Amino acid sequence: MTTSTSPDSAFGNLTEESVRYSRLSQFRSTSEPFIPNNPYHRPLNPERVAELDWSRPLDEETFASDRSLLANRLLMNVYESDALFLPAAGLRTFEDDFSAFYHSDSRLAGERIRPQMERFAFGFLDDSVGVSGQWDEDTLRAHLRHSVDQANSPGSRPVFDAIRAAKSPRIAAGTQIVQMALDGLTEATAMSQNLGGAFGPEQSELFKIFVDEFGYGVFPAKHSTLFMELCSSVGMATTSHHYWFFYLPSSIAINNYFYWATRNRTGFFRYIGAMAFLEATFASWFGDLTKVFRDVYGDAVDTRYCDEHAHIDQHHGRMAIDDLLIPLARKHGPVAVKGLLQGVEEIQLLDRLAGADLLAQLTWDPALSDAPADGPAGVVVELDSDSAFDTQVAPAATRLHVLGGEALLYTSATGDPLRVPQGRSVVVPAGRLYGVRAEGRTQLATGPAA
Amino acid sequence: MKGRKGAKAPAQPRVRAEFSRSAHNALVAGDDLYFVMERDKAVHVISSSCPHRGGPLHLGDVDGDRLRCPWHGGLFPVGRLCDRSHPSVRVGDTVTVYLPAGEHDPVPVHTMVRAGVDAA
Ligand code: FES
Ligand SMILES: [Fe+2]
Ligand SMILES: [Fe+2]
């Protein structure tokens, strides 16, 4: 048997199997830009998945690319079919999707492609981050302190500045909330993956943090419930994954990073490093976010989600470092130290990349322009009200030129889409997420923006 | 003495409970737990619920003269906890204590109490 070991055929299989996975009924397309109430319906686009070149793994450059979007959506569905979702409105109308999403065949199809997809999505981290040398406790602590201070230093929140300065701060703040929803609606699910097993006192320390995340068993105090209250207070949906199409590739990737690190038990130290770093920076980050939301939404916004983190993560930061990270490093030696530091560094790197992605999306203000004089170039597609909706990341600056009818350009989940009438066009900058819909027969030319 | 001066706030209704110093180290009333701490030969009955987030103080460690809440590490001087303990008297092995009245009557138990140990 040689075929299964040659890299080419391995990728061949991956193409075939990822396309098969994305054809499962729960991943079918829809003409709507939002997914109401159905936690299992997560459109994947088999035609686009088929085009994905798996032989070129993601790297820092392509972390927020269209290939990243496709691969991370696939991975996200594999990971999340490991967690239980039940529709808030009851299961009655979603029984088929419920069975399909959790069917052993679906799960198996996902598991078969998971390891290769993980290497595709996160393999570059091994090149990007290196840890070496003898680390003692003092140096480890000093390094953590420095990293946390740097993350919280003045001027370190360009996204918050951009939300305040946006033409519509509410739309911009909505975009921020949508990205947070990936984690917020299922908060601490990745954390829950290492509550079992037997790993000494650190297991109990992790559980203490988990208990806080779950509001001590009190539903209204659970962090994910507080997140839902935040959403409702500003008129946003609270169900998974209403905003499926509007998660940026980098946001999904970071969420997946935590699943990757917790699903693979050897990633445990990496997970603790990344988690401890985030917990240690959250109190300050959420404190600032409360102020942003107050400025943007006024009194109406329910900021208890942010306030809770501004308070409890002062404790979690300390607990995760003093009671988890340091004792694990002490007890388990170089392997642990290396993993912990990888996590600390990787999450900072990914956070920087994701911050740049979100900032570019927030500050993009699409404008209508006249069609270029030398006529339309590119591929012409016909759209109608029942055409499948999808969002994608523009690989290069792309001009959308409406030849007939009217196109609706979606660039964020909140606010109205931009209406592009016949004869007008709009340029999507490289790297930006967008989707196009039509309410009636529309011809759209898509080509490079000269 | 508490509750004597001025237009006094209505006193908290309390319920009487008895337990054996040698056989019991806590009392349970519904969801509330009260634990016994011995200090300078005196028996103190203390509410276990941490004022921060309700952490189980009876499972905390005593470090010097402070009790450390096991959840987020809140530190509480043992002296202060004892000063604010529930009213009780001891005769020989029998302790009588007056606990806040609630839906459930307190039941003396022997359970895991870490904070009661070694409290100097
Ligand atoms: S619950 Fe006791 S310190 Fe938080
Ligand atoms: Fe949380
Ligand atoms: Fe936390």
Side-chain angles (χ1 to χ4, degrees):
Chain A
M1 288 288 291
T2 53
T3 48
S4 64
T5 51
S6 104
D8 278 358
S9 79
F11 292 123
N13 287 343
L14 188 51
T15 298
E16 212 173 282
E17 292 189 17
S18 57
V19 169
R20 192 180 315 140
Y21 183 73
S22 57
R23 284 214 177 98
L24 294 169
S25 65
Q26 64 273 31
F27 307 137
R28 67 190 173 276
S29 66
T30 169
S31 57
E32 298 299 323
F34 302 105
I35 313 284
N37 303 322
N38 185 341
Y40 319 112
H41 184 197
R42 297 137 178 260
L44 296 171
N45 188 324
E47 285 74 40
R48 294 180 62 216
V49 170
E51 309 270 272
L52 215 164
D53 178 2
W54 294 102
S55 70
R56 287 187 299 130
L58 300 179
D59 53 20
E60 289 181 37
E61 283 312 75
T62 52
F63 183 68
S65 64
D66 198 51
R67 295 192 303 129
S68 170
L69 179 68
L70 292 169
N72 277 298
R73 279 179 178 170
L74 280 159
L75 258 182
M76 173 178 166
N77 287 347
V78 174
Y79 290 137
E80 286 202 342
S81 60
D82 226 22
L84 181 64
F85 290 82
L86 290 173
L91 202 47
R92 265 169 289 278
T93 47
F94 306 113
E95 281 169 13
D96 290 346
D97 283 333
F98 172 65
S99 322
F101 191 67
Y102 295 116
H103 195 284
S104 295
D105 293 346
S106 299
R107 306 281 313 281
L108 186 64
E111 277 306 293
R112 285 168 64 94
I113 52 176
R114 178 175 65 84
Q116 275 177 293
M117 292 199 300
E118 287 174 334
R119 276 194 290 279
F120 176 85
F122 299 116
F124 75 96
L125 290 173
D126 278 340
D127 294 328
S128 293
V129 173
V131 177
S132 58
Q134 298 284 326
W135 285 78
D136 57 37
E137 192 174 317
D138 288 347
T139 318
L140 193 53
R141 280 185 186 278
H143 182 65
L144 282 166
R145 179 77 357 249
H146 174 83
S147 308
V148 170
D149 287 349
Q150 202 173 32
N152 291 334
S153 62
S156 60
R157 317 241 195 269
V159 166
F160 290 2
D161 299 338
I163 293 173
R164 286 194 167 98
K167 194 165 85 183
S168 168
R170 290 179 74 102
I171 294 177
T175 297
Q176 168 75 65
I177 293 174
V178 166
Q179 307 313 311
M180 290 163 65
L182 263 166
D183 172 65
L185 294 174
T186 57
E187 195 150 326
T189 297
M191 185 180 277
S192 75
Q193 304 204 78
N194 279 315
L195 294 179
F199 53 98
E202 290 76 25
Q203 189 172 10
S204 301
E205 296 302 333
L206 183 63
F207 194 76
K208 280 182 204 167
I209 296 179
F210 185 76
V211 165
D212 289 333
E213 302 290 339
F214 265 62
Y216 321 101
V218 176
F219 185 68
K222 192 171 175 263
H223 288 185
S224 58
T225 311
L226 297 176
F227 183 76
M228 287 158 68
E229 303 283 330
L230 164 68
C231 295
S232 338
S233 73
V234 298
M236 290 176 64
T238 59
T239 50
S240 310
H241 285 286
H242 188 92
Y243 299 114
W244 168 256
F245 286 119
F246 297 93
Y247 295 139
L248 293 174
S250 60
S251 307
I252 310 177
I254 289 201
N255 205 46
N256 283 344
Y257 173 84
F258 282 98
Y259 279 111
W260 169 58
T262 50
R263 273 289 292 271
N264 299 276
R265 304 300 163 192
T266 50
F268 176 64
F269 298 109
R270 165 182 260 141
Y271 166 70
I272 294 294
M275 185 271 282
F277 173 81
L278 282 189
E279 295 285 341
T281 56
F282 271 165
S284 156
W285 191 84
F286 275 106
D288 290 346
L289 185 60
T290 297
K291 293 180 205 141
V292 174
F293 286 163
R294 267 295 157 243
D295 290 350
V296 171
Y297 296 111
D299 289 342
V301 61
D302 181 340
T303 59
R304 284 176 305 152
Y305 178 73
C306 306
D307 305 336
E308 162 68 1
H309 286 95
H311 169 74
I312 204 68
D313 284 340
Q314 294 176 38
H315 296 290
H316 289 177
R318 189 198 60 250
M319 292 156 78
I321 292 173
D322 290 353
D323 304 329
L324 275 162
L325 194 148
I326 297 289
L328 287 168
R330 238 184 250 145
K331 195 189 290 180
H332 300 288
V335 173
V337 172
K338 181 166 185 232
L340 292 162
L341 279 163
Q342 273 173 325
V344 171
E345 297 306 311
E346 286 167 357
I347 194 61
Q348 291 178 76
L349 170 64
L350 299 186
D351 214 43
R352 272 199 299 282
L353 298 173
D357 190 18
L358 179 54
L359 187 62
Q361 191 74 22
L362 283 175
T363 49
W364 173 32
D365 180 17
L368 292 183
S369 57
D370 284 329
D374 48 359
V379 190
V380 179
V381 287
E382 287 265 344
L383 292 175
D384 217 328
S385 58
D386 58 357
S387 304
F389 181 79
D390 198 5
T391 49
Q392 57 187 302
V393 173
T398 303
R399 182 179 296 276
L400 309 175
H401 177 195
V402 178
L403 305 175
E406 183 187 50
L408 277 63
L409 175 72
Y410 287 80
T411 62
S412 69
T414 50
D416 295 324
L418 179 70
R419 288 179 178 271
V420 190
Q422 176 170 351
R424 312 292 313 264
S425 73
V426 65
V427 173
V428 180
R432 290 308 96 229
L433 181 90
Y434 72 101
V436 181
R437 223 179 113 240
E439 288 166 343
R441 261 176 96 80
T442 297
Q443 291 86 37
L444 179 71
T446 304
Chain B
M1 212 171 144
K2 251 198 178 146
R4 290 290 304 257
K5 54 182 187 273
K8 58 185 182 186
Q12 180 176 32
R14 289 186 177 268
V15 53
R16 183 175 187 280
E18 258 182 37
F19 65 94
S20 149
R21 182 189 184 180
S22 55
H24 306 124
N25 61 1
L27 298 106
V28 175
D31 288 338
D32 298 321
L33 189 137
Y34 304 90
F35 66 101
V36 178
M37 215 171 191
E38 301 223 357
R39 192 170 189 254
D40 302 331
K41 293 203 186 109
V43 175
H44 296 276
V45 181
I46 296 167
S47 296
S48 173
S49 174
C50 174
H52 177 227
R53 287 280 170 101
L57 290 180
H58 68 288
L59 295 178
D61 286 321
V62 174
D63 183 6
D65 56 1
R66 291 187 302 181
L67 170 61
R68 188 174 192 276
C69 174
W71 276 10
H72 311 108
L75 291 168
F76 302 93
V78 171
R80 214 172 69 203
L81 289 174
C82 291
D83 288 347
R84 295 174 185 178
S85 64
H86 296 286
S88 69
V89 289
R90 180 182 62 80
V91 178
D93 190 51
T94 304
V95 182
T96 304
V97 61
Y98 291 85
L99 295 174
E103 219 180 293
H104 303 270
D105 282 338
V107 179
V109 295
H110 189 92
T111 183
M112 179 191 265
V113 174
R114 295 166 54 83
V117 187
D118 296 329

